Amino acid sequence: MATVATENVFKDVLTSLPKAGGGEYGKYYSLPALNDPRIDRLPYSIRILLESAIRNCDNFQVTKNDVEKIIDWENTSPRLVEIPFKPARVLLQDFTGVPAVVDLACMRDAMNKLGSDSNKINPLVPVDLVIDHSVQVDVARSENAVQANMEFEFQRNKERFGFLKWGSTAFRNMLVVPPGSGIVHQVNLEYLGRVVFNTDGLLYPDSVVGTDSHTTMIDGLGVAGWGVGGIEAEATMLGQPMSMVLPGVVGFKLAGKLRNGVTATDLVLTVTQMLRKHGVVGKFVEFYGEGMGELSLADRATIANMSPEYGATMGFFPVDHVTMQYLKLTGRSDETVSMIEAYLRANKMFVDYNEPQKERIYSSYLELDLADVEPCISGPKRPHDRVPLREMKADWHSCLDSKVGFKGFAVPKESQEKIVKFDFHGQPAELKHGNLVIAAITSCTNTSNPNVMLGSGLVAKKACELGLQVKPWIKTSLAPGSGVVTKYLLKSGLQEYLNQQGFNIVGYGCTTCIGNSGDLDESVAAAISDNDIVAAAVLSGNRNFEGRVHPLTRANYLASPPLVVAYALAGTVDIDFEKEPIGTGKHGKSIYFKDIWPSTEEIAQVVQSSVLPEMFKSTYEAITKGNPMWNQLTVPETTLYSWDPNSTYIHEPPYFEDMTMAPPGPHGVKNAYCLLNFGDSITTDHISPAGSIHKDSPAAKYLIEHGVDRRDFNSYGSRRGNDEIMARGTFANIRLVNKLLKGEVGPKTIHIPTGDKLYVFEVATRYKADGHDTIVLAGAEYGSGSSRDWAAKGPMLLGVKAVIAKSFERIHRSNLVGMGIIPLCFKPGEDAETLGLTGHERYTIDIPSSITDIRPGQDITVVVDNGKSFTCTLRFDTEVELAYFNHGGILPFVIRHLINSHH
């Protein structure tokens, strides 16, 4: 947002890109024209950052010095230097799209109140908003599940959908993909991903930040993309450069090929475990080596998708011939594909495996022979706890024995074999520890991959032919990532076998993996809760944190879609597939895993004959036309939104209530109470759950007071446009472990002055009413899991002024900064316990009152009222973040900036 549009410092390297048959595609900023030998040694992922810096270099938002830092990556990256990055576009999905559009509408109102032109508030960077409403699996195992679930979805979400439709007309530069089209990441891969932009004759690489951490899936297509908080995404779309640490790049060399019967999911779970162990937080991972030719684009996308689970910012696959084939397969035009290849070759961003490879430099190296990968699953509570299939039975028994933890349930020996008999709709049924009650083929990780999707169909087919059947009390479901999947499952003839096994399509969207499993049958739910059974879910998702998939499944395993079907048939995770039969088929014959498992060759044949370019073309032509339910929504054509005070979905948040033109300046914290005292690995799911609204919770109370019936509560995720509910949903996870409660689990805390035990929201409200600041104490990796802007907005509305933790997850820390909350880190080796803090003390954090006296990462003293004091590191990591703090957060900063830049 420069006051004057300055000339680009690098205008001399602007070069034209000729077409093969004469004429030109347009102009581009040429990396070879810089004549700098260091560029040839850069990882491909860093070249994308470099091109963006050169193209946006105005010596205001991006300086010549920033460009030099990136070119000198080999020397600068170990020093953790900051660089600005301006991505080519922003990707929002429904849940984050609503609060983003709420904030834009709210900013227009604030501009208006301050007497400035509110129409200046528009996205300055193209925004793709995919309404990939996550589907609540209300109806499963039914031929018309899709239509039924979609109708429920529209009834529940009509207000939000209408609001987004208003946004698509009120704001420029915003493309809205209507609901029912598929999962955002798959739509991005198959349709939205440009790979190379051509904007008014200027060519440049596609790059994207998205509001979901699995945005990284697009890295499989050679498009640099990763998840950011909703707050950062809003700033990016308003033209702010994203400040980031220039990352180290781990070179991951792939050799050989996968063994027969091993899936991309087995590979990704293996890669996830290797990278987790290597330590890749805050880094890029770039894949290379001759094994790349063996990996289909869908397999690459599966590995890229799980970047958040291995902790990397990106798992990047540079563009090569496989990428080009995929672009053609998915219906991109020949002209576009030629332009993409011509540009990337000219700008040294294309990998041609037929040519000798120039040595690139990486920060560290890993290598995997694909032939070493074996079938595996991950669980029971974390994505990186991989278990080889052959060890699964032993591992399960060790989990039953072990004390409660990531790998333990502490079930007493004498009750490990207990069998609970119950009546399931008139037929006798039974449950044991480890029995499945949910089997879901779901999630963006796998449902875009034809190999594993058609593989699961082949398992179902073989099982049907051998006379095996999934038990009716297991809730089975299939949620493809896009309409294309249905087309190829139908063409292959395998969908009918999946249907026979109960894997009917329930909808196109995110389901089980985000906690939208829907209710279990009452008889099953009662059998579990009344007898304390450790029931299992097996899903082809990417997250299995406790309490996330379903409150009643304590063991949750991630597996490939074909393994989901195999485990559903077995009915339990307590099985050794190599030695024990899965079940009894026709004529009393024992059926084993090997009898139902397809070979790689069988799968390849079905993929070859069933996955066709026409399917992609027709699916996405239909998307742009919308669907009847979407097209019938009528919305007002105003540029300012008329807020409905009675709406329980869309509410104007109080962010700009007393906003003045002068920034408020930095603030310390005086005599604050500790609202919550946490251990390690508190996820954004603990801080701001996305799933169902518990019937006794403060949010439920608010909804009932506003005349909402319990069956219409919907999820927290769907109500992110209403700050009243989201503030009440903050720290409302039923599995919250807060040390102030001395071992009791749940969303409550202690009001220190009185000792009262209440819901967190109620305690926070009391402190606010009495004029007290609050802080949160936490352990390592605070805020891990999905990037969720409400995990920062919520605590801010509750009056939390600072979080003191051992370490923070990257996106969550920047979101706290964006909302004006101070992130502080204990010094290495220290934490609340070693310092003898119980959380019953009062805390004063002394921060200089002038922004010019604060440096990124400086030491700050925290004084406790018991006479102790300790030193923390202030985690404002850049000058830009200090500016946000000075302004009371990123949104007020942008508004003041916009007003000032136009006077």
Side-chain angles (χ1 to χ4, degrees), residues 81-108:
V81 300
E82 284 292 327
I83 57 154
F85 175 52
K86 297 191 83 170
R89 63 189 168 103
V90 173
L91 183 69
L92 301 175
Q93 92 272 51
D94 165 12
F95 275 1
T96 44
V98 171
V101 179
V102 163
D103 290 356
L104 283 172
C106 198
M107 288 169 83
R108 275 197 176 169

Side-chain angles (χ1 to χ4, degrees), residues 463-474:
C464 289
E465 288 166 350
L466 291 165
L468 282 184
Q469 187 63 39
V470 175
K471 303 268 193 298
W473 56 84
I474 297 178

Side-chain angles (χ1 to χ4, degrees), residues 838-860:
T838 61
H840 288 262
E841 310 81 2
R842 298 185 72 171
Y843 294 79
T844 296
I845 301 169
D846 191 25
I847 286 189
S849 55
S850 162
I851 199 72
T852 50
D853 297 336
I854 310 177
R855 292 182 322 282
Q858 77 176 56
D859 282 355
I860 292 287

Side-chain angles (χ1 to χ4, degrees), residues 768-790:
K768 273 181 87 168
D770 298 339
H772 295 306
D773 287 348
T774 53
I775 60 140
V776 169
L777 294 175
E781 293 187 2
Y782 181 75
S784 51
S786 307
S787 57
R788 215 164 265 177
D789 57 339
W790 274 109

